[in-house]
Amino acid sequence: EDMMHTARGLLFDEYTGILYPLFIRVCLNIQSFLGIGYYLVVHLVQLVFFGIAAGYLVKTFFAGKKAWIVAAYIVSFPMCLQSILMVSPFAFKASFSFLIIGSMIRLWKDARKVNNWIVLLVAYMLSALNATDDLYMWLFPIGIFVITQCLRKKSAIRIYGRVCLLLTVLLVFFTTFGVLNRTISPGARGRM
């Protein structure tokens, strides 16, 4: 009910990010258009997204069918299934965490692949928009990771590449901070 109230009113406080209520609002519009329960769409999207994120993380360690079997095993954990089958931003939070960790591991192995940098930056930004505490939770580890990558892989990333990478990361951080500052009204929903 709390998420439904947030999605219908689009009131965001310091505990609620903007991504998940907007997702719920889209699911409510699908419900009114198709006549199926919004929660069915929520469960399906969360399950698929969680499976893809788990597969992305697991593929850093395993290959082929074994990777998808391990990913399916992770999805089948009772705690994971409970998060997936709730109308709560925690399923997205776990999925974004899997993507961030998986991209960091891939970049540690080979920092030249641009698509892994894109996954890292987009997953961080979406994570921060999903749950406001993720902005601060991931800020320090990602910042340290990017700095160590730039110092560690001097031959892999030229100087202009390092400068562009740092500017991109700073742009994402400031964009995320700016979006959250403009959309969140502290105390808007009457919580402490």
Side-chain angles (χ1 to χ4, degrees):
E1 286 300 318
D2 188 42
M3 273 299 139
M4 298 284 292
H5 177 68
T6 305
R8 286 191 176 115
L10 294 180
L11 288 173
F12 309 112
D13 61 5
E14 59 272 22
Y15 301 106
T16 308
I18 63 173
L19 182 67
Y20 198 77
L22 289 175
F23 167 66
I24 296 298
R25 189 149 186 179
V26 167
C27 292
L28 288 170
N29 289 338
I30 291 171
Q31 174 181 324
S32 65
F33 182 70
L34 295 178
I36 60 172
Y38 77 96
Y39 52 88
L40 296 173
V41 178
V42 170
H43 295 165
L44 180 65
V45 170
Q46 288 180 168
L47 178 65
V48 169
F49 188 57
F50 193 86
I52 290 170
Y56 184 79
L57 175 63
V58 168
K59 279 189 173 184
T60 59
F61 303 108
F62 302 105
K65 287 183 181 179
K66 194 173 191 179
W68 289 110
I69 290 170
V70 173
Y73 180 69
I74 291 172
V75 171
S76 72
F77 285 161
M79 192 168 178
C80 293
L81 282 175
Q82 183 178 4
S83 294
I84 291 167
L85 298 176
M86 287 181 4
V87 179
S88 171
F90 293 117
F92 279 175
K93 189 173 183 160
S95 299
F96 292 134
S97 297
F98 284 173
L99 291 173
I100 290 170
I101 293 167
S103 61
M104 283 183 177
I105 293 169
R106 288 170 187 235
L107 288 168
W108 192 260
K109 292 177 181 178
D110 185 11
R112 291 174 291 186
K113 295 194 176 180
V114 177
N115 58 346
N116 292 327
W117 285 107
I118 292 170
V119 169
L120 175 65
L121 296 175
V122 170
Y124 168 73
M125 195 161 120
L126 291 175
S127 177
L129 294 175
N130 181 55
T132 55
D133 57 343
D134 280 2
L135 173 66
Y136 306 106
M137 184 182 85
W138 285 110
L139 183 65
F140 187 69
I142 290 176
I144 294 296
F145 176 78
V146 168
I147 290 168
T148 57
Q149 279 296 94
C150 288
L151 296 175
R152 181 176 162 256
K153 298 280 189 178
K154 291 181 182 177
S155 63
I157 303 173
R158 294 188 183 126
I159 187 71
Y160 66 88
R162 288 186 284 194
V163 171
C164 290
L165 180 64
L166 286 173
L167 288 176
T168 304
V169 170
L170 289 174
L171 178 67
V172 169
F173 289 156
F174 289 127
T175 302
T176 307
F177 276 112
V179 168
L180 289 177
N181 288 338
R182 296 205 188 284
T183 58
I184 291 175
S185 303
R189 298 182 53 225
R191 295 192 280 189
M192 292 179 61

